[in-house]
Amino acid sequence: MLAFLDATVGKWLRHFFFVLVRTYYALFYNVSCANKHLLQDQHGTLILATHVSRHDGPLISALLYSTMRIRPTVHYHEYYNWVQWFPMMVAGAIPMSSPKSWPEEKRKARKTQTLQAIRDSLARGDSLLLFPAGRVRRQEREIVEPYLSGVHDIIRAQPNTPLMLLKIDGLGQFQYAKHDLFWSFLGITKGRRHVSVTITPIEKLDTSMEREAFNAHLETLLND
């Protein structure tokens, strides 16, 4: 029943949200995307993205909407925020992590449930958007903390999962802001902000490495 609703009502709602979000970014941002076509025939891809602002999730989802089904992963608290829950549920977002106040056994069970949901989604051919740093960048470079295990666990469980690296430039607090003259007819000289998105394949990530070393390598990829 849930699958039927997702494929019918959910599909219409996703398209409605897509039109709203895409219109917003078209009006206030000048966005370009390189190599989007690489995702066209690459189903079940894990997309590892830099996280430079709170716009990243909706911007990427709207930008790639017509390419294939993209399911974002979000922090548990963000997913269950009453303001955000409905659009995230419609988008098929997968909540990750869990409240630290939970007992350890409950947190482990939640992690197992989340990884299974991710495996099922990838197996269906959906692509998954994940921010390895886990939070919006608060400094010039991405930092993947040694204790984070999401990417390592997913790839270790499904080593043949196609991987893509997605980098956003021009949107974050620590990135150069350049604007066009889209609104100049109103006398506004600072128009839409230029944002570039680049997608590149990742050949392989070695999960035989210790998690700390794996995260350090992933951090290097995100910042190069």
Side-chain angles (χ1 to χ4, degrees), residues 12-217:
W12 280 96
L13 285 171
R14 282 192 294 276
H15 196 78
F16 172 72
F17 286 135
F18 158 72
V19 171
L20 291 181
V21 175
R22 193 64 179 266
T23 300
Y24 170 80
Y25 285 112
L27 288 173
F28 299 105
Y29 294 87
N30 187 344
V31 184
S32 64
C33 183
N35 297 328
K36 184 167 68 170
H37 67 282
L38 296 176
L39 287 169
Q40 196 77 42
D41 300 314
Q42 192 70 75
H43 297 281
T45 298
L46 180 61
I47 305 169
L48 305 177
T50 55
H51 203 355
V52 301
S53 80
R54 291 195 171 275
H55 286 275
D56 299 344
L59 172 65
I60 295 170
S61 296
L63 192 63
L64 301 181
Y65 175 83
S66 57
T67 304
M68 65 164 47
R69 177 78 186 271
I70 306 291
R71 296 190 66 180
T73 59
V74 296
H75 193 276
Y76 183 90
H77 292 297
E78 290 189 7
Y79 183 89
Y80 288 104
N81 183 305
W82 70 272
V83 176
Q84 302 178 141
W85 176 80
F86 184 70
M88 286 192 176
M89 184 270 293
V90 171
I94 299 176
M96 299 188 72
S97 189
S98 58
K100 293 182 179 179
S101 59
W102 284 9
E104 190 61 29
E105 288 302 315
K106 186 177 179 180
R107 297 196 73 190
K108 287 181 179 179
R110 178 67 190 181
K111 182 176 181 179
T112 300
Q113 180 184 353
T114 299
L115 290 174
Q116 185 60 52
I118 288 172
R119 285 195 291 268
D120 292 344
S121 180
L122 292 172
R124 285 193 300 268
D126 298 334
S127 287
L128 203 72
L129 174 65
L130 191 149
F131 300 103
R135 63 182 181 182
V136 175
R137 188 186 300 181
R138 299 174 183 173
Q139 60 288 315
E140 292 188 10
R141 294 174 60 83
E142 296 282 320
I143 296 178
V144 183
E145 299 290 354
Y147 64 83
L148 295 175
S149 62
V151 179
H152 187 270
D153 290 340
I154 294 168
I155 299 175
R156 184 172 58 182
Q158 295 176 274
N160 295 323
T161 300
L163 303 173
M164 293 284 181
L165 183 67
L166 187 151
K167 294 184 178 181
I168 304 173
D169 188 38
L171 186 61
Q173 176 184 356
F174 298 96
Q175 295 178 332
Y176 177 67
K178 186 175 182 179
H179 299 80
D180 64 16
L181 301 176
F182 184 83
W183 296 105
S184 60
F185 70 98
L186 296 176
I188 302 173
T189 57
K190 181 183 281 190
R192 301 177 303 174
R193 182 167 178 169
H194 286 274
V195 178
S196 65
V197 176
T198 306
I199 300 172
T200 53
I202 302 175
E203 291 299 324
K204 187 178 180 181
L205 288 175
D206 185 7
T207 55
S208 66
M209 303 167 64
E210 293 293 332
R211 188 177 62 198
E212 292 79 3
F214 178 89
N215 284 358
H217 175 62

